[in-house]
Amino acid sequence: MGKVDLKYPEGVKWTKQRKDVYRVLSDAKEPLSAVQIYNNIQKDGNEEGYALSTIYRILAAFEEKLIVAKSTWMDNSTVVYEKIKEEHTHYALCLGCRKRIPLHACPMNHIHLEEENMGFTITGHKLEIYGYCQGCKEKD
Amino acid sequence: MGKVDLKYPEGVKWTKQRKDVYRVLSDAKEPLSAVQIYNNIQKDGNEEGYALSTIYRILAAFEEKLIVAKSTWMDNSTVVYEKIKEEHTHYALCLGCRKRIPLHACPMNHIHLEEENMGFTITGHKLEIYGYCQGCKEKD
DNA sequence: ATCAGTGCAAACGATTTGCACCTCG
DNA sequence: CGAGGTGCAAATCGTTTGCACTGAT
């Protein structure tokens, strides 16, 4: 799955390690930590996987090249990475079951800063909503 | 400053350590890390400060009691804590000078989830905006 | 060939934990 | 007095770094 047909961005030395990290991020349905990427690569292939430090270095390089964006989940401190693309997703985190529900709309479309901050140019944003999902409400 | 006149929430054993952490969080103008709280306590008082592990344990206890909320800044992975109160502030982070500009409006006032997520009850949210401030734009 | 990329192991910073002692209620 | 809180030092977890080696261009 996704092993072929991937266009690699230019300006990067495409070692097999980097291709694998890029593929995992391309297939990912949500932001992944370095360790998750590391595990996915080993699970996926017959290959024995790469050093974790290599994954971190690749991610740093990708971030530099604006191929991936680095961020963290609201509820813990592990850093996650996701491939930068036009669309983006926000999540609602259920405080009960810790499930993350993807939202399909972005409230930032309706945002404007007040006068005092007019000088600020917005290039991105991060939003997470939290609360309780149907199931967890009923359990309570 | 703020040494007196603080009402302590009930259901907590109010040792002097806990009072100091509570006071620092009450005076704080933005979320603080455990280390910042630790430093503030030593700076503030003549007291020699408490073990960092104690600060962490107090913060965990406060979180449990819903006295503080735990979160992280978008751009790094250190965990920060802030006293839970009605009002809240969002920040715009300048990617140039790394300054954080507090916003005085909350876009969540205009948010509603789509039908498919109607079952979800929102209890809170976190939003950060990033981009470039006036000064950094000019420098560029 | 050359210089960037990689693996490994050691270093690091933030956070957590075990244990003996102390203190609030 | 007793349950729970605290200090200290050691342990753990995620992430970073130094160094010698390997591989993409």
Side-chain angles (χ1 to χ4, degrees), chain B residues 51-64:
Chain B
L52 200 41
S53 60
T54 299
I55 308 281
Y56 279 107
R57 278 193 273 230
I58 290 174
L59 290 168
F62 282 4
E63 195 196 359
E64 181 95 5

Side-chain angles (χ1 to χ4, degrees), chain B residues 13-15 52-53 56-57 78-79:
Chain B
K13 208 170 181 181
W14 287 104
T15 62
L52 200 41
S53 60
Y56 279 107
R57 278 193 273 230
T78 334
V79 174

Side-chain angles (χ1 to χ4, degrees), chain A residues 90-107:
Chain A
H90 297 298
Y91 297 85
L93 171 70
C94 176
L95 299 172
C97 58
R98 296 272 138 185
K99 201 176 358 189
R100 251 182 273 275
I101 300 158
L103 307 177
H104 303 300
C106 172

